[in-house]
Amino acid sequence: MFDRFLRACRREATDVTPVWFMRQAGRYMAEYRALREKHTLLEICKTPELALEVTLQPLRLGVDAAILFADILLPLEPMGAPFSFEKGEGPVIHEPVRDRAAIDRMRVFEPEEGLGYVLEAIRLIRRELDGKTPLIGFAGAPFTMASYLVEGGKSSDYFRTKQLMWGDPESFSLLMSKISEVVRRYLHAQVEAGAQAVQLFDSWIGALSPEDYRTHVAPHVKNILQSIEKTGVPVIHFGTNTSTLLEAQRDCGGTVIGVDWRLPLGEAWKRIGYDHAIQGNLDPLLLCAPRDVAAARARAVLAEAAGRPGHIFNLGHGIVPQTPVDNVKALVDVIHAYRHEGAA
Ligand code: CP3
């Protein structure tokens, strides 16, 4: 049971399909909301005891892995770009980075110095979970992080990011290189602190054409992933809206490729190749649909995997705050009760 998730990452046979959820800790849980009444999101992230508490909250739902409670934007502050989370707006970068001078000022820091609190949280969590549940660490991928830095917050079209990418490719590349080196060191430090797998979140990469991905993003992502894969720890390479990017994304690296719901899982796996494990891919909004509808669609995802070792069940993206917590528990039970036809 303990190593279901890790075995599936290595494409080894498991008793049942392992399952965990992106954003499995968060506002849909009453115990998370209660803690958030007393602390800001950044306070929770920066206090290892609180990060530990929140990381453990969703484990009562029966998931097969824990994910470190943190945020992909945390490295921006030690790089020199402080930000805050504003109610209803999401992240706000106090001074967006839009020109060469600002990019030159961005710092590449040592993880123990800039993000020691995350590494301490990992050590605490490992002590608590050892032999029970494996721990996933994570970081944001350079394009997704750059988009927040350049836009100053969330965006629907990545206007300023693309202006920089096409208008001043040299400066964009410098920014991407600096973020990549930060992320590379940060993920290595997470593995050293005890993370048993890591996920690279390239959540907004689907905004790019395959050509722009290959030219402006792939070399940076490759640098990170090929370096981390040398540790032997499984690496999950995740993106959304990647129907046209899957092969290019796979070529950059990752033991496991994370896919969203826009492609049937079987089709995505065939294109990625069976020499990789796959993670996904139920539409997260199905957790707000009638339970029998969600269960049927979850079984359809499992059927797409066809009993091949190397499928980790997840959503195509994070759990949304409106999700009833009982639906999440019920879904975990559906996944664990499922048996592939012909299996013993
Ligand atoms: O998955 C987990 O349970 C681990 C924790 C985690 C958080 N953020 C905590 C969080 C993880 C893995 C992330 C990743 C993250 N953060 C991503 C990539 C994954 C994705 O969802 O695409 C991105 C793009 C961010 C940046 C970010 N953080 C945004 C855009 C927001 C605001 C979103 C919103 O719904 O308001 C956050 C805030 C954030 N990070 C919350 C949580 C639980 C919201 C909860 C709160 O305000 O308390």
Side-chain angles (χ1 to χ4, degrees):
M1 296 261 283
F2 162 73
D3 63 352
R4 243 181 223 156
F5 163 76
L6 293 171
R7 287 181 63 87
C9 289
R10 299 189 296 256
R11 289 182 295 117
E12 294 166 6
T14 53
D15 55 346
V16 296
T17 301
V19 52
W20 71 277
F21 302 112
M22 290 179 274
R23 289 281 172 96
Q24 64 189 21
R27 283 165 296 186
Y28 79 102
M29 293 190 91
E31 52 270 53
Y32 177 82
R33 292 194 302 271
L35 200 68
R36 279 282 277 113
E37 280 182 16
K38 292 184 273 174
H39 304 279
T40 65
L41 176 57
L42 285 177
E43 272 167 16
I44 298 175
C45 293
K46 291 182 177 184
T47 312
E49 292 74 17
L50 296 177
L52 162 71
E53 183 180 339
V54 178
T55 300
L56 301 183
Q57 283 175 351
L59 301 188
R60 69 172 172 87
L61 304 173
V63 290
D64 294 301
I67 179 161
L68 161 73
F69 192 80
D71 194 89
I72 63 161
L73 301 182
L74 296 177
L76 299 186
E77 188 180 74
M79 285 189 83
F83 64 94
S84 43
F85 289 104
E86 309 286 346
K87 223 177 161 59
E89 248 184 286
V92 176
I93 315 298
H94 300 161
E95 288 179 37
V97 171
R98 292 175 181 159
D99 56 32
R100 182 56 175 248
I103 294 170
D104 281 334
R105 284 195 299 272
M106 298 296 286
R107 287 189 294 271
V108 175
F109 63 90
E110 285 305 328
E112 271 305 341
E113 284 162 31
L115 293 167
Y117 56 87
V118 177
L119 304 174
E120 186 52 27
I122 292 177
R123 293 182 202 108
L124 286 185
I125 299 164
R126 272 303 301 274
R127 228 171 286 155
E128 195 70 27
L129 288 183
D130 234 15
K132 286 184 263 180
T133 312
L135 175 66
I136 305 170
F138 69 90
F143 177 81
T144 294
M145 286 177 66
S147 79
Y148 283 100
L149 263 182
V150 178
E151 303 295 331
K154 67 174 188 231
S155 169
S156 51
D157 57 10
Y158 308 97
F159 183 88
R160 291 175 189 275
T161 313
K162 289 184 178 182
Q163 296 256 103
L164 180 67
M165 184 177 82
W166 291 321
D168 185 356
E170 212 177 290
S171 297
F172 182 76
S173 175
L174 176 64
L175 176 62
M176 292 286 282
S177 300
K178 285 188 170 186
I179 299 173
S180 300
E181 183 55 17
V182 163
V183 167
R184 195 186 68 78
R185 292 184 194 179
Y186 183 37
L187 288 175
H188 272 288
Q190 290 188 27
V191 170
E192 273 162 37
Q196 289 149 295
V198 293
Q199 174 156 324
L200 189 71
F201 282 91
D202 216 349
S203 306
W204 311 136
I205 199 61
L208 295 186
S209 69
E211 185 187 343
D212 284 320
Y213 181 79
R214 285 188 196 276
T215 308
H216 297 286
V217 174
H220 302 283
V221 174
K222 208 178 230 172
N223 269 339
I224 298 170
L225 293 179
Q226 296 191 344
S227 171
I228 305 303
E229 280 180 275
K230 288 195 189 118
T231 64
V233 156
V235 179
I236 308 166
H237 185 185
F238 168 79
T240 73
N241 253 313
T242 51
S243 305
T244 60
L245 302 175
L246 272 186
E247 291 85 356
Q249 206 193 354
R250 170 208 60 205
D251 290 345
C252 290
T255 328
V256 182
I257 306 295
V259 294
D260 77 9
W261 61 92
R262 293 172 178 89
L263 268 179
L265 186 117
E267 193 181 323
W269 206 351
K270 190 170 174 204
R271 279 175 52 194
I272 292 162
Y274 301 125
D275 56 343
H276 283 72
I278 194 163
Q279 177 175 282
N281 74 340
L282 192 74
D283 186 332
L285 296 199
L286 276 161
L287 281 174
C288 302
R291 259 188 233 169
D292 57 331
V293 176
R297 297 292 293 275
R299 287 190 200 101
V301 169
L302 290 161
E304 290 275 332
R308 211 175 263 117
H311 176 218
I312 297 143
F313 191 98
N314 204 315
L315 305 170
H317 205 169
I319 295 184
V320 301
Q322 301 92 323
T323 303
V325 73
D326 290 346
N327 288 4
V328 181
K329 174 86 182 79
L331 178 61
V332 171
D333 294 342
V334 166
I335 308 306
H336 285 162
Y338 187 87
R339 296 293 181 279
H340 286 279
E341 244 171 78

